[in-house]
Amino acid sequence: MIGLLSGVGQFVIWGYLLAAGVDNVPVLGEIATFVSEHKYTLGLGLLSLVLLYFALKKQWRYAWLKASSFLFIGMLALNYSHFFWFSDDTVITTSNTNNNIIDVNQLNYKVFAGQSSIYSAQAVNVIYLGENPRSLMQQLGWIENKTFSRSELEFFDYVNLLKTNTPPVSDLMWNGQPQDLAFQLPGTLTKRSHIRWWNAGIDQQTLATVWVGALSYDNGLTLTPYGGIITILHSVAPDVDSERDKLRQDVFRLNTQWNAENIKLAKATAKNENHDYFTDGKVLVVSNQLPVESFTTVF
């Protein structure tokens, strides 16, 4: 029934939106993407309401409890299937060899908890110029994390990683793709700094590989919509600039081979219903290839 309702309902909704001109109205496109991504959750909610209506009409005992239990068990099943079955279905495996020529001034400096930008945005606040940021991260003492989309984790793998305070990083989407790499500093299960990296392409000015990073600090747990489900994830501290500046200081302390400079590439943003962060719009550009003076002349 869930499959039938969600499958047929998705085609009906898409047909209606296409007839309304979804391709010409970005808001309709975003809504269509959001509905498509949440089809199983919406189907489960509809079935729970039908069960409640039927139970009340038949005067079942504990009708609300039974309907709520059905909804809760269904949400647990959706969570399990999302993280351990379906999270890698839409990953493009060639993203680590992105040879597209890009302009850093035109990049998207926001990431989202799903395919739709209806989710509250999180910040891209770091750029790494070079073949791969892994070496820098390791030199700074960051621990590489597993990710649900690229590591094909089973439930017991997840439990073992929890025991070492290095749980897998939930996926964020930059231009529709989950992160290529993720790292964290040593910390507790609910208090840790972490960064996700995406290969953005080749910079048209320097011809260096550009990696964009979303750096933030986990400061607890929260119930939140994510990737088409409702789940418990880490809450993120909104002051992303402080994490950016800490990384800059750590890079300078490492040695003189690395350069790091805050460059105004994004827009200043206030925390609101569309953004889970606030920032001055500066992005930390890190490189071991260019002198600091080149940053301001190139960017």
Short mmCIF file of all heavy atoms in Angstrom, two decimals, residues 156-187:
data_model
loop_
_atom_site.label_atom_id
_atom_site.label_comp_id
_atom_site.label_asym_id
_atom_site.label_seq_id
_atom_site.Cartn_x
_atom_site.Cartn_y
_atom_site.Cartn_z
N PHE A 156 26.13 -2.66 12.16
CA PHE A 156 27.14 -2.96 13.17
C PHE A 156 28.42 -2.16 12.95
O PHE A 156 29.15 -1.87 13.90
CB PHE A 156 27.44 -4.46 13.20
CG PHE A 156 26.29 -5.27 13.76
CD1 PHE A 156 25.50 -6.04 12.92
CD2 PHE A 156 25.99 -5.24 15.11
CE1 PHE A 156 24.43 -6.77 13.43
CE2 PHE A 156 24.91 -5.96 15.63
CZ PHE A 156 24.13 -6.73 14.79
N ASP A 157 28.71 -1.79 11.70
CA ASP A 157 29.82 -0.86 11.45
C ASP A 157 29.54 0.47 12.12
O ASP A 157 30.43 1.08 12.72
CB ASP A 157 30.00 -0.65 9.94
CG ASP A 157 30.34 -1.92 9.20
OD1 ASP A 157 31.06 -2.75 9.77
OD2 ASP A 157 29.87 -2.08 8.06
N TYR A 158 28.29 0.92 12.02
CA TYR A 158 27.89 2.18 12.63
C TYR A 158 28.06 2.13 14.16
O TYR A 158 28.59 3.06 14.77
CB TYR A 158 26.45 2.48 12.26
CG TYR A 158 25.85 3.69 12.92
CD1 TYR A 158 26.22 4.97 12.55
CD2 TYR A 158 24.90 3.55 13.94
CE1 TYR A 158 25.67 6.09 13.15
CE2 TYR A 158 24.35 4.66 14.55
CZ TYR A 158 24.74 5.92 14.15
OH TYR A 158 24.19 7.02 14.77
N VAL A 159 27.63 1.03 14.75
CA VAL A 159 27.75 0.88 16.21
C VAL A 159 29.21 0.91 16.65
O VAL A 159 29.58 1.56 17.63
CB VAL A 159 27.07 -0.43 16.66
CG1 VAL A 159 27.35 -0.70 18.15
CG2 VAL A 159 25.57 -0.37 16.42
N ASN A 160 30.08 0.23 15.91
CA ASN A 160 31.51 0.20 16.26
C ASN A 160 32.14 1.59 16.14
O ASN A 160 32.99 1.96 16.96
CB ASN A 160 32.24 -0.79 15.36
CG ASN A 160 31.89 -2.22 15.67
OD1 ASN A 160 31.54 -2.56 16.80
ND2 ASN A 160 31.96 -3.09 14.66
N LEU A 161 31.72 2.36 15.16
CA LEU A 161 32.24 3.71 15.01
C LEU A 161 31.74 4.63 16.13
O LEU A 161 32.46 5.53 16.57
CB LEU A 161 31.86 4.28 13.65
CG LEU A 161 32.56 3.63 12.45
CD1 LEU A 161 31.91 4.08 11.15
CD2 LEU A 161 34.04 3.97 12.46
N LEU A 162 30.51 4.40 16.58
CA LEU A 162 30.00 5.16 17.72
C LEU A 162 30.85 4.94 18.97
O LEU A 162 31.09 5.86 19.75
CB LEU A 162 28.55 4.77 18.02
CG LEU A 162 27.46 5.30 17.08
CD1 LEU A 162 26.10 4.74 17.50
CD2 LEU A 162 27.42 6.82 17.07
N LYS A 163 31.32 3.71 19.15
CA LYS A 163 32.11 3.38 20.33
C LYS A 163 33.43 4.13 20.37
O LYS A 163 33.99 4.37 21.45
CB LYS A 163 32.37 1.87 20.37
CG LYS A 163 31.12 1.02 20.60
CD LYS A 163 31.45 -0.46 20.56
CE LYS A 163 30.21 -1.32 20.77
NZ LYS A 163 30.52 -2.78 20.69
N THR A 164 33.94 4.51 19.21
CA THR A 164 35.22 5.23 19.15
C THR A 164 35.04 6.74 18.99
O THR A 164 36.01 7.46 18.72
CB THR A 164 36.07 4.69 17.97
OG1 THR A 164 35.36 4.91 16.74
CG2 THR A 164 36.35 3.21 18.13
N ASN A 165 33.82 7.22 19.16
CA ASN A 165 33.50 8.65 19.02
C ASN A 165 33.85 9.19 17.63
O ASN A 165 34.16 10.38 17.47
CB ASN A 165 34.23 9.47 20.09
CG ASN A 165 33.56 9.38 21.44
OD1 ASN A 165 32.36 9.14 21.53
ND2 ASN A 165 34.34 9.54 22.50
N THR A 166 33.80 8.33 16.63
CA THR A 166 34.00 8.76 15.23
C THR A 166 32.83 8.27 14.39
O THR A 166 33.03 7.51 13.43
CB THR A 166 35.32 8.20 14.67
OG1 THR A 166 35.33 6.77 14.80
CG2 THR A 166 36.53 8.80 15.38
N PRO A 167 31.60 8.69 14.72
CA PRO A 167 30.44 8.23 13.96
C PRO A 167 30.51 8.70 12.52
O PRO A 167 31.16 9.71 12.21
CB PRO A 167 29.26 8.87 14.69
CG PRO A 167 29.83 10.07 15.36
CD PRO A 167 31.23 9.68 15.76
N PRO A 168 29.87 7.98 11.61
CA PRO A 168 29.84 8.42 10.21
C PRO A 168 29.22 9.80 10.09
O PRO A 168 28.36 10.18 10.87
CB PRO A 168 28.98 7.35 9.52
CG PRO A 168 28.96 6.19 10.44
CD PRO A 168 29.10 6.74 11.82
N VAL A 169 29.66 10.53 9.10
CA VAL A 169 29.14 11.87 8.85
C VAL A 169 27.91 11.76 7.96
O VAL A 169 27.94 11.10 6.92
CB VAL A 169 30.21 12.75 8.19
CG1 VAL A 169 29.62 14.07 7.74
CG2 VAL A 169 31.36 12.99 9.16
N SER A 170 26.82 12.39 8.37
CA SER A 170 25.63 12.44 7.53
C SER A 170 25.93 13.26 6.28
O SER A 170 26.76 14.16 6.29
CB SER A 170 24.45 13.03 8.30
OG SER A 170 24.77 14.34 8.74
N ASP A 171 25.25 12.93 5.21
CA ASP A 171 25.54 13.56 3.92
C ASP A 171 24.90 14.95 3.83
O ASP A 171 23.75 15.15 4.21
CB ASP A 171 25.00 12.71 2.77
CG ASP A 171 25.66 11.34 2.73
OD1 ASP A 171 26.89 11.29 2.89
OD2 ASP A 171 24.94 10.34 2.54
N LEU A 172 25.67 15.90 3.33
CA LEU A 172 25.14 17.17 2.87
C LEU A 172 25.32 17.24 1.36
O LEU A 172 26.24 16.63 0.81
CB LEU A 172 25.85 18.34 3.55
CG LEU A 172 25.57 18.54 5.04
CD1 LEU A 172 26.35 19.75 5.56
CD2 LEU A 172 24.09 18.72 5.31
N MET A 173 24.46 17.98 0.70
CA MET A 173 24.47 18.05 -0.76
C MET A 173 24.98 19.41 -1.23
O MET A 173 24.45 20.45 -0.85
CB MET A 173 23.06 17.82 -1.31
CG MET A 173 22.49 16.45 -0.98
SD MET A 173 23.42 15.12 -1.75
CE MET A 173 22.62 13.68 -1.02
N TRP A 174 26.02 19.37 -2.06
CA TRP A 174 26.51 20.56 -2.75
C TRP A 174 26.32 20.31 -4.24
O TRP A 174 26.85 19.36 -4.80
CB TRP A 174 27.98 20.79 -2.43
CG TRP A 174 28.55 22.02 -3.09
CD1 TRP A 174 28.33 23.32 -2.74
CD2 TRP A 174 29.42 22.07 -4.23
NE1 TRP A 174 29.01 24.16 -3.57
CE2 TRP A 174 29.69 23.43 -4.50
CE3 TRP A 174 30.00 21.09 -5.04
CZ2 TRP A 174 30.51 23.84 -5.56
CZ3 TRP A 174 30.81 21.50 -6.09
CH2 TRP A 174 31.07 22.85 -6.34
N ASN A 175 25.51 21.16 -4.87
CA ASN A 175 25.15 20.95 -6.28
C ASN A 175 24.60 19.55 -6.53
O ASN A 175 24.88 18.92 -7.56
CB ASN A 175 26.36 21.23 -7.18
CG ASN A 175 26.73 22.69 -7.22
OD1 ASN A 175 25.98 23.55 -6.75
ND2 ASN A 175 27.89 23.00 -7.76
N GLY A 176 23.84 19.04 -5.57
CA GLY A 176 23.16 17.77 -5.75
C GLY A 176 23.97 16.55 -5.43
O GLY A 176 23.49 15.41 -5.58
N GLN A 177 25.23 16.71 -4.98
CA GLN A 177 26.09 15.56 -4.69
C GLN A 177 26.57 15.57 -3.25
O GLN A 177 26.85 16.64 -2.68
CB GLN A 177 27.31 15.58 -5.62
CG GLN A 177 27.05 15.01 -7.00
CD GLN A 177 26.69 13.54 -6.94
OE1 GLN A 177 27.46 12.70 -6.49
NE2 GLN A 177 25.48 13.21 -7.40
N PRO A 178 26.66 14.38 -2.62
CA PRO A 178 27.20 14.31 -1.25
C PRO A 178 28.71 14.53 -1.26
O PRO A 178 29.37 14.46 -2.29
CB PRO A 178 26.85 12.88 -0.82
CG PRO A 178 26.82 12.10 -2.10
CD PRO A 178 26.28 13.05 -3.13
N GLN A 179 29.25 14.81 -0.09
CA GLN A 179 30.67 15.10 0.06
C GLN A 179 31.53 13.94 -0.43
O GLN A 179 31.17 12.78 -0.33
CB GLN A 179 30.99 15.41 1.52
CG GLN A 179 30.80 14.24 2.49
CD GLN A 179 29.34 13.91 2.73
OE1 GLN A 179 28.53 14.80 2.89
NE2 GLN A 179 29.02 12.63 2.76
N ASP A 180 32.72 14.30 -0.94
CA ASP A 180 33.70 13.29 -1.34
C ASP A 180 34.52 12.79 -0.15
O ASP A 180 34.90 11.62 -0.09
CB ASP A 180 34.65 13.85 -2.40
CG ASP A 180 33.93 14.23 -3.68
OD1 ASP A 180 33.30 13.35 -4.28
OD2 ASP A 180 33.99 15.41 -4.07
N LEU A 181 34.80 13.70 0.79
CA LEU A 181 35.61 13.38 1.96
C LEU A 181 35.02 14.07 3.18
O LEU A 181 34.35 15.09 3.05
CB LEU A 181 37.06 13.86 1.78
CG LEU A 181 37.88 13.29 0.63
CD1 LEU A 181 39.17 14.08 0.46
CD2 LEU A 181 38.19 11.82 0.85
N ALA A 182 35.28 13.50 4.35
CA ALA A 182 34.83 14.13 5.60
C ALA A 182 35.84 13.84 6.69
O ALA A 182 36.43 12.75 6.74
CB ALA A 182 33.45 13.60 6.00
N PHE A 183 36.06 14.83 7.58
CA PHE A 183 37.02 14.71 8.67
C PHE A 183 36.45 15.35 9.93
O PHE A 183 35.58 16.22 9.86
CB PHE A 183 38.34 15.42 8.32
CG PHE A 183 39.07 14.83 7.14
CD1 PHE A 183 38.73 15.22 5.85
CD2 PHE A 183 40.07 13.90 7.32
CE1 PHE A 183 39.40 14.69 4.76
CE2 PHE A 183 40.74 13.36 6.24
CZ PHE A 183 40.41 13.75 4.95
N GLN A 184 36.97 14.92 11.08
CA GLN A 184 36.61 15.53 12.35
C GLN A 184 37.83 15.65 13.22
O GLN A 184 38.81 14.90 13.08
CB GLN A 184 35.56 14.69 13.08
CG GLN A 184 36.11 13.37 13.66
CD GLN A 184 35.19 12.74 14.69
OE1 GLN A 184 34.13 12.24 14.33
NE2 GLN A 184 35.61 12.75 15.94
N LEU A 185 37.80 16.61 14.15
CA LEU A 185 38.80 16.67 15.19
C LEU A 185 38.40 15.74 16.33
O LEU A 185 37.20 15.43 16.49
CB LEU A 185 38.93 18.10 15.72
CG LEU A 185 39.69 19.09 14.83
CD1 LEU A 185 39.62 20.49 15.42
CD2 LEU A 185 41.14 18.66 14.65
N PRO A 186 39.34 15.25 17.12
CA PRO A 186 38.97 14.43 18.27
C PRO A 186 37.97 15.17 19.15
O PRO A 186 38.10 16.37 19.41
CB PRO A 186 40.31 14.22 19.00
CG PRO A 186 41.35 14.35 17.92
CD PRO A 186 40.80 15.39 16.99
N GLY A 187 36.95 14.46 19.60
CA GLY A 187 35.92 15.06 20.43
C GLY A 187 34.97 14.00 20.94
O GLY A 187 35.22 12.80 20.80
#
